[in-house]
Amino acid sequence: MKHSHILINAISLLAAVAAFYMVGREIHTYNITWATTGEILQDFQWSTLLLALGATAIGYLILATYDLLAIYHLGYKIPWHKTLLVSFLGFAVSNNAGHAIVTGGAIRFRYYSALGLNATSIGKIIVFSSSTYLLGAVTLLCAAYFFLPQDELNHPELLGGHLAWFIWGILLLLVIYWLLILSGRHRLQWKKINISLPPARITALQTFAGICDLLFAGVVLYCLLYPATQMHFMWFFTIYILAQLIGLFSQVPGGIGIFESAFLLLVGDAHDHQIILIALLTYRLMYFLLPLLIALAIFAITQHQSLRENWQKIPGVTRMQHIIATTSIFLHRRLPVFLSLLALLAGGILLLSGSTPGMPERLETLTDIINLPLIELSHLLGSVIGVFLLILARAILLRINTAYPLTLVFLGAGIIFSLTKGLDYEEAVFLSVLLILFIPCKSYFYRKSKLDMHLLTPKWILLIVAIIGLSTLIGFITYQEVDYAHELWWQFELDANASRFLRATLLISVVACGALLHYLLSRGQYKPHLPDNEELREAETIIQAQKNTEHYISLSGDKYLFWGEARDCFIAYITTTKYWIALNDPCGNSASFKELVKEFRAHADLHGAKPVFYRITTEHLPLYVDLGLNLIKLGEEAHVDLSNFALKGNAWASFRSTINKIIKEGFTFRIIRAADIEPHLPELKQVSDQWLDHKKSREKGFSLGFFDENYLRFFDIAVVSKEDQIVAFANLLHTNLPNEISIDLMRYSDQAPKGAMDYLLSNIMLWAKEEQYYKFNLGMAPLAGLDDDELAPFWHRLGSSIFRMGNEFYDFKGLHHYKEKFHPQWNPVYLALPRGGHLAPVIFTITNAISGGISGSFSK
């Protein structure tokens, strides 16, 4: 299976290369270079080329529906956008390489097999698509009989004057086929061969798709021929279909040479062959080579991972191949940015078009097709679509799933309105190309956020306002010679361009102001809900199943909880205008962490904020690296190995002396279980208040615990007491797994003896050792362990200097020295923030969150 997969990859790649080679061979045959190509294109007007390009884009979009119809009929479960992509790639390659079953089939097998289809199912799709083309071709050929004049139908150059008999034979076969379809006999058998026929409705759709495909393919060549030949359309189209069928049955790759020769032979001497040949070569470049180039680009983008893996398996891979693979991956990752820029450009073009006058000759031609009210409505809606595309560009950048279908709808509407407001086919062609680029990109839009949640940011609002303002300014400059009058608002005439501009400007101003108002109101209203008791209990259940204790701080009630989709993991975080700051690594099922942090970043992006992860450990650093974040060391965390902890030896002499003295003074140590904590809460509150008053401090938050009765009810409490009066306490953080234990609040009253904290900590560790816990977490020592070497990062050198000399503000070195007395193992702790993010404001924001505000950051 592994070797067959590699073989199919190789065949599909060779098919694409073969197609490219065949086109190159034909170009070489006619001595065409890049310079001569430019000369050939200069023989045509830009309007002719753009119209032909538009017909090419629409034609390939219809051609891609062949497989979509086959998938629908056969009942396979393949997403429609992936089916359109595979169909386009298959036809773009097989149209140039020929032998569609082999070349186009290899492309289809490469993609459809990855989507779960076997060879038999893929073969059915190929046969169905081929029959769709044949149905359309023979139906159009037969229809030509009823539109062509008899003298042209019997022209001696067309099959020796026997074209009518040939068409009657084709018509007879077509009628027999339809009679079989309508009879309900959907299965034919001849010897051991079974043929399944589709129902009448599917056959009708096949015929319609084939007709539309051939019509637009023919229109491409007709647009190039008509200015010089003035050829009758039905006469041209009959020749075109015959030449197509001859090229198809010849099995020459892409019908190269055969199609052109057949067309020149069938057209006879009625027209200049040199002019027709130039048009045929341009048609070949436009309808065959250009789609092939696009297909190869899409092939490279969508298959970059497979190509990279296969290249790495080949001995002697060159550096250039690695560069190509890396470039492909880069384009794959930056594609949403590129699509967002294109959407911005499309919106700007529609707004600019609405601000400038239409071409009089086109408007006159348009009035022969539709009436004036529809033209006026299209002008207004085209400008509104432009504003919507500017807004959607932000959603595209954020990869929001709802943006994908909305963009397709608005681009489709923009194409229609561009044509119905003034036959602006240049805009329609650009929007059509952008639509085709969007169709295979659904997988990029995976974020499930809603569009009504802080889609815009102040910068994006300014960008939209600037684009609208620029288009409006251009409009006023264009119509500066038109004197303003109130009657302009109500003028509905073909040449009343200034009136249409005024009405469109008013409407897009209303839409833009509505979007701005929504942004301002929603920004003010947005605030996630702090967890209630039920949610905290749910989080506690998850925390108790972990091996580490740092997540207990999530239960303090001052942080939001961001849950995974299965609610088996969460992130504790706070929000500011600029940052969403997560505390610690995610908690819960580690298998879900990757998706959880991606969703967290997606929601932060959606609300115009940057994600920051504070106090993370080395265990999950790859999560943040893969997310594109920078890592900065904050300090080190002290872990005491309880298996070796004992108050013995000279190193612990001072501890033993302190403990013995306290015991002699009548103080005792005990553990109050969480279930029994309620009657002791008032006494604990009194101890805490005295500690705060003694320290001339106030409660902190975020990464530090604070005295809150609801919070303390989660924990066992270690206390030091004398005659049943509590003089010191610490809450114990431990999970159901006897792995790690730590403390959060550690406070003492005025009645506590000197050395009470040493006594409390020592007894907690000894008790935890008896309870089979492996380690005691003493917490972090900020700025510890940072290098001050001249090659170290600036933050490390600055932090190291503050650690040594910053005792005036905070005793960093003293805190580290105190914890060092317990002979811990030091483990690094990090901060993860977006690339390009400034460290200083992030640290300042975190400090404010811990201190409870700016004033608290500069006081105790």
Side-chain angles (χ1 to χ4, degrees):
M1 180 63 70
K2 180 179 178 181
H3 296 293
S4 64
H5 183 70
I6 296 175
L7 179 62
I8 289 298
N9 283 343
I11 292 175
S12 60
L13 185 58
L14 287 174
V17 174
F20 199 74
Y21 168 76
M22 294 307 300
V23 175
R25 191 177 71 175
E26 183 185 14
I27 292 173
H28 178 72
T29 300
Y30 291 105
N31 294 320
I32 297 175
T33 63
W34 288 113
T36 56
T37 300
E39 294 175 2
I40 289 173
L41 294 178
Q42 286 176 4
D43 292 334
F44 298 93
Q45 293 182 357
W46 279 109
S47 58
T48 299
L49 293 175
L50 289 173
L51 194 59
L53 276 175
T56 300
I58 298 173
Y60 266 88
L61 184 60
I62 295 172
L63 187 63
T65 61
Y66 282 16
D67 282 23
L68 190 66
L69 190 58
I71 293 291
Y72 171 75
H73 167 60
L74 297 171
Y76 301 146
K77 303 297 183 182
I78 304 294
W80 66 270
H81 61 282
K82 293 184 179 180
T83 303
L84 288 178
L85 172 64
V86 177
S87 184
F88 168 73
L89 294 177
F91 281 118
V93 171
S94 62
N95 281 352
N96 290 278
H99 302 283
I101 294 178
V102 177
T103 57
I107 296 293
R108 287 177 172 84
F109 195 92
R110 169 68 184 90
Y111 283 86
Y112 285 140
S113 60
L115 296 172
L117 297 184
N118 55 30
T120 302
S121 301
I122 298 171
K124 290 180 180 179
I125 295 173
I126 296 172
V127 171
F128 186 95
S129 297
S130 300
S131 64
T132 301
Y133 172 82
L134 287 175
L135 274 172
V138 298
T139 302
L140 277 175
L141 188 61
C142 294
Y145 178 82
F146 300 101
F147 288 95
L148 272 178
Q150 287 299 314
D151 57 338
E152 293 186 354
L153 191 63
N154 297 320
H155 197 285
E157 296 290 347
L158 296 179
L159 299 181
H162 301 297
L163 178 60
W165 290 105
F166 177 77
I167 292 177
W168 274 108
I170 294 293
L171 180 60
L172 179 61
L173 293 175
L174 185 62
V175 170
I176 293 173
Y177 182 80
W178 269 104
L179 288 175
L180 290 173
I181 295 293
L182 295 174
S183 68
R185 295 185 60 185
H186 295 158
R187 185 174 295 276
L188 302 178
Q189 186 172 0
W190 183 70
K191 294 183 178 182
K192 295 183 179 181
I193 300 176
N194 291 316
I195 300 175
S196 297
L197 300 179
R201 183 171 64 90
I202 296 297
T203 306
L205 289 174
Q206 281 184 279
T207 305
F208 179 74
I211 289 173
C212 292
D213 165 37
L214 282 165
L215 277 173
F216 278 98
V219 165
V220 177
L221 180 55
Y222 188 71
C223 288
L224 301 171
L225 280 173
Y226 183 77
T229 64
Q230 303 294 312
M231 190 180 294
H232 187 279
F233 182 74
M234 291 309 300
W235 167 256
F236 156 81
F237 207 71
T238 304
I239 297 173
Y240 175 80
I241 294 175
L242 284 172
Q244 278 276 9
L245 290 173
I246 293 170
L248 175 67
F249 289 114
S250 71
Q251 283 302 297
V252 172
I256 290 178
I258 302 298
F259 169 78
E260 287 83 353
S261 300
F263 193 91
L264 288 171
L265 177 64
L266 292 171
V267 81
D269 297 327
H271 301 282
D272 187 346
H273 279 207
Q274 184 178 1
I275 294 175
I276 295 177
L277 183 59
I278 291 175
L280 287 170
L281 291 178
T282 307
Y283 168 72
R284 177 70 65 180
L285 293 171
M286 189 172 295
Y287 194 79
F288 289 86
L289 179 60
L290 180 60
L292 177 62
L293 292 174
I294 295 173
L296 290 176
I298 295 175
F299 187 87
I301 292 173
T302 56
Q303 299 302 309
H304 71 283
Q305 186 64 35
S306 297
L307 290 173
R308 184 177 66 172
E309 292 175 357
N310 290 335
W311 285 342
Q312 290 174 348
K313 294 175 184 176
I314 301 174
V317 176
T318 65
R319 180 175 179 83
M320 180 57 67
Q321 289 173 324
H322 281 300
I323 293 174
I324 295 173
T326 303
T327 304
S328 175
I329 295 170
F330 174 82
L331 293 175
H332 172 75
R333 292 177 177 175
R334 295 294 181 268
L335 188 58
V337 178
F338 178 64
L339 293 176
S340 177
L341 291 175
L342 287 178
L344 270 176
L345 180 59
I349 288 174
L350 286 172
L351 288 173
L352 183 61
S353 176
S355 299
T356 52
M359 300 180 67
E361 61 274 15
R362 294 187 185 181
L363 288 172
E364 290 178 4
T365 303
L366 189 59
T367 52
D368 295 335
I369 304 172
I370 60 177
N371 54 28
L372 183 60
L374 186 56
I375 295 175
E376 296 283 358
L377 181 62
S378 299
H379 189 276
L380 287 174
L381 294 180
S383 298
V384 173
I385 292 294
V387 178
F388 286 156
L389 285 174
L390 295 181
I391 297 173
L392 272 178
R394 166 70 175 163
I396 294 168
L397 184 63
L398 296 175
R399 309 185 184 202
I400 300 172
N401 55 2
T402 320
Y404 176 75
L406 285 179
T407 303
L408 295 183
V409 170
F410 286 140
L411 287 175
I415 295 170
I416 296 172
F417 295 143
S418 293
L419 296 173
T420 56
K421 74 181 180 180
L423 287 181
D424 295 328
Y425 50 79
E426 300 91 344
E427 296 172 26
V429 168
F430 174 76
L431 295 175
S432 298
V433 172
L434 184 53
L435 178 64
I436 292 172
L437 286 176
F438 257 92
I439 288 175
C441 297
K442 184 178 180 181
S443 59
Y444 290 91
F445 300 91
Y446 56 85
R447 292 178 174 171
K448 298 180 181 180
S449 306
K450 297 179 181 179
L451 286 177
D452 59 350
M453 295 175 58
H454 308 287
L455 178 63
L456 301 177
T457 62
K459 292 181 180 179
W460 207 267
I461 287 284
L462 289 175
L463 179 61
I464 292 175
V465 171
I467 294 174
I468 293 175
L470 179 61
S471 65
T472 304
L473 178 62
I474 291 174
F476 279 114
I477 294 174
T478 303
Y479 301 109
Q480 61 183 336
E481 296 181 359
V482 178
D483 295 330
Y484 175 78
H486 295 305
E487 290 77 13
L488 286 174
W489 295 95
W490 316 112
Q491 285 185 4
F492 297 93
E493 299 175 4
L494 193 60
D495 59 349
N497 292 303
S499 298
R500 279 192 284 274
F501 162 68
L502 286 176
R503 289 190 289 269
T505 301
L506 177 62
L507 185 57
I508 63 177
S509 298
V510 170
V511 174
C513 288
L516 178 60
L517 184 63
H518 171 75
Y519 161 77
L520 294 174
L521 293 177
S522 60
R523 291 288 291 187
Q525 291 175 353
Y526 173 73
K527 191 176 183 180
H529 297 290
L530 291 173
D532 54 20
N533 289 333
E534 182 179 351
E535 188 175 0
L536 289 175
R537 289 296 177 185
E538 184 181 2
E540 182 193 21
T541 302
I542 294 177
I543 294 171
Q544 288 177 343
Q546 307 304 303
K547 61 182 181 179
N548 298 324
T549 59
E550 70 267 16
H551 297 294
Y552 271 110
I553 192 64
S554 306
L555 304 179
S556 61
D558 64 334
K559 290 167 283 294
Y560 311 115
L561 302 182
F562 187 90
W563 291 90
E565 187 174 357
R567 293 190 77 84
D568 58 349
C569 56
F570 67 87
I571 292 174
Y573 72 107
I574 61 171
T575 64
T576 66
T577 304
K578 293 185 177 180
Y579 303 104
W580 281 21
I581 302 174
L583 178 61
N584 301 321
D585 294 308
C587 176
N589 180 15
S590 59
S592 302
F593 283 0
K594 186 174 182 178
E595 287 301 317
L596 180 65
V597 295
K598 285 173 62 178
E599 283 298 310
F600 181 77
R601 174 165 189 171
H603 279 70
D605 289 344
L606 187 63
H607 297 293
K610 296 179 179 180
V612 176
F613 292 83
Y614 173 67
R615 214 170 65 178
I616 57 177
T617 61
T618 56
E619 183 178 1
H620 300 293
L621 287 187
L623 284 176
Y624 313 106
V625 174
D626 292 343
L627 210 61
L629 303 178
N630 281 338
L631 300 175
I632 295 175
K633 187 175 180 181
L634 290 175
E636 293 181 327
E637 197 172 57
H639 293 168
V640 178
D641 183 4
L642 293 179
S643 61
N644 297 321
F645 180 76
L647 298 179
K648 297 179 181 179
N650 294 332
W652 298 97
S654 61
F655 271 88
R656 291 197 303 272
S657 175
T658 300
I659 291 172
N660 291 333
K661 180 181 178 181
I662 291 175
I663 292 174
K664 289 179 181 179
E665 292 178 0
F667 292 94
T668 59
F669 169 84
R670 63 189 172 105
I671 303 294
I672 303 176
R673 295 296 181 181
D676 304 322
I677 195 64
E678 194 67 31
H680 301 282
L681 288 175
E683 192 174 4
L684 295 176
K685 179 70 165 57
Q686 184 178 3
V687 172
S688 177
D689 290 344
Q690 289 184 14
W691 182 85
L692 290 172
D693 185 62
H694 177 75
K695 294 289 184 179
K696 293 182 173 56
S697 180
R698 60 179 182 177
E699 296 285 12
K700 307 296 184 183
F702 185 49
S703 62
L704 299 178
F706 52 89
F707 190 93
D708 179 81
E709 293 184 353
N710 291 327
Y711 177 56
L712 289 182
R713 288 188 180 99
F714 287 106
F715 309 106
D716 296 337
I717 305 294
V719 300
V720 175
S721 58
K722 183 177 183 180
E723 298 177 356
D724 293 331
Q725 181 183 358
I726 297 175
V727 296
F729 73 90
N731 59 326
L732 303 180
L733 282 57
H734 56 92
T735 66
N736 292 336
L737 301 177
N739 182 66
E740 178 182 282
I741 186 169
S742 63
I743 60 174
D744 183 12
L745 294 177
M746 190 172 182
R747 298 185 173 180
Y748 55 88
S749 68
D750 297 339
Q751 290 76 36
K754 184 179 180 180
M757 293 298 98
D758 290 345
Y759 174 74
L760 184 59
L761 269 178
S762 302
N763 277 284
I764 290 174
M765 292 184 190
L766 293 171
W767 173 83
K769 182 178 179 180
E770 293 177 3
E771 295 291 324
Q772 305 298 314
Y773 287 96
Y774 301 136
K775 64 180 178 180
F776 186 88
N777 189 340
L778 275 171
M780 185 176 73
L783 306 182
L786 300 184
D787 294 333
D788 58 358
D789 186 84
E790 62 179 5
L791 297 179
F794 172 75
W795 163 249
H796 283 213
R797 288 182 278 120
L798 175 63
S800 179
S801 299
I802 296 174
F803 180 79
R804 294 192 310 270
M805 301 177 293
N807 290 343
E808 291 296 326
F809 300 98
Y810 189 89
D811 191 6
F812 296 105
K813 196 171 182 178
L815 178 63
H816 182 271
H817 179 71
Y818 177 79
K819 294 181 178 183
E820 185 64 39
K821 291 193 302 184
F822 294 92
H823 309 293
Q825 176 185 353
W826 293 96
N827 297 308
V829 179
Y830 294 90
L831 172 74
L833 71 163
R835 293 173 183 171
H838 298 290
L839 178 61
V842 171
I843 294 294
F844 184 69
T845 302
I846 293 173
T847 303
N848 287 344
I850 295 173
S851 304
I854 296 178
S855 60
S857 301
F858 298 97
S859 64
K860 293 185 178 182

